[in-house]
Amino acid sequence: MKKYILSIVAIILTISIAACSSTKEPDKHVKSNSESEEHMDMNHSSSSEVPKGLKVAANPKFQVGSKATIQADHMKGMKGAEATIVGAYDTTAYIISYTPTTGGPKVENHKWVIQEEIKNADGKTFKPGDEVTIEADHMKGMKGAKAEIVSAEKTTVYMVNYKPTNGGKEVKNHKWVTESELS
């Protein structure tokens, strides 16, 4: 009788183990390609330090310390978030396309790099098609990368703090949001 019971227990255990090993649960800690590509090592929070020569805005629409709603969607959770204005600066903002110095696919239409974050920019305003070297490090592989100017806009740019609408911790000193991307 003992052998019979042991045999039944052994069969049940074998079936249980086989059933567990055949149903593989996906690893919830592995990021999908689209999720990791979307964030592309973006430095969500950064220091409050601004590039040398950047001029504080004379008459910004949004004053330092005031609140605004972000209309931009540079990153997930940004659009619709309430922002606190940390800094306001008058400059030229550029949309650029570049290949990261760390390798990988070309980054198309990155918003924004400002005049003071372009190597040897001095007082020159760049136009679409110009090739420049980026000194900003908003994303891994950006600093030192050769970039093509896609568009240029003379505007007020803002450094903001905000809590993403999709959760997560507060983003501090995000660089940059243009005046037209706030309401």
Side-chain angles (χ1 to χ4, degrees), residues 18-39:
C20 289
S21 65
S22 67
T23 54
K24 186 175 181 196
E25 181 93 12
D27 187 352
K28 291 180 170 88
H29 299 288
V30 175
K31 289 184 177 182
S32 69
N33 284 343
S34 61
E35 185 181 32
S36 59
E37 285 172 11
E38 190 166 317
H39 285 73

Side-chain angles (χ1 to χ4, degrees), residues 3-179:
K3 285 185 180 181
Y4 180 73
I5 293 175
L6 285 176
S7 296
I8 291 176
V9 169
I11 291 171
I12 292 172
L13 282 174
T14 304
I15 292 171
S16 296
I17 291 170
C20 289
S21 65
S22 67
T23 54
K24 186 175 181 196
E25 181 93 12
D27 187 352
K28 291 180 170 88
H29 299 288
V30 175
K31 289 184 177 182
S32 69
N33 284 343
S34 61
E35 185 181 32
S36 59
E37 285 172 11
E38 190 166 317
H39 285 73
M40 296 188 67
D41 295 321
M42 185 91 173
N43 295 333
H44 299 283
S45 292
S46 65
S47 78
S48 60
E49 189 175 320
V50 296
K52 189 176 178 179
L54 185 57
K55 304 270 190 268
V56 172
N59 202 10
K61 182 176 179 180
F62 302 95
Q63 300 295 317
V64 172
S66 68
K67 304 278 187 199
T69 302
I70 302 174
Q71 300 304 321
D73 60 354
H74 305 171
M75 298 178 290
K76 270 189 172 181
M78 185 179 235
K79 188 172 180 127
E82 181 181 72
T84 301
I85 307 301
V86 178
Y89 308 92
D90 289 330
T91 189
T92 301
Y94 297 96
I95 297 175
I96 61 168
S97 292
Y98 71 97
T99 301
T101 59
T102 53
K106 185 175 185 176
V107 176
E108 301 282 350
N109 302 315
H110 173 81
K111 293 181 180 178
W112 299 94
V113 170
I114 60 171
Q115 183 78 20
E116 295 75 11
E117 295 174 321
I118 296 175
K119 188 174 185 171
N120 300 323
D122 304 317
K124 179 181 179 185
T125 301
F126 299 97
K127 59 187 184 308
D130 286 349
E131 186 176 286
V132 298
T133 302
I134 304 303
E135 291 186 330
D137 63 353
H138 303 171
M139 295 169 58
K140 188 176 180 183
M142 179 180 265
K143 188 173 180 113
K146 300 287 184 213
E148 180 183 338
I149 300 295
V150 175
S151 73
E153 178 182 337
K154 195 146 190 71
T155 187
T156 300
V157 295
Y158 295 87
M159 184 186 315
V160 297
N161 293 344
Y162 70 94
K163 180 114 170 102
T165 58
N166 62 344
K169 64 181 189 173
E170 183 181 21
V171 175
K172 294 204 174 261
N173 304 312
H174 176 77
K175 299 172 186 159
W176 305 103
V177 179
T178 62
E179 198 158 87

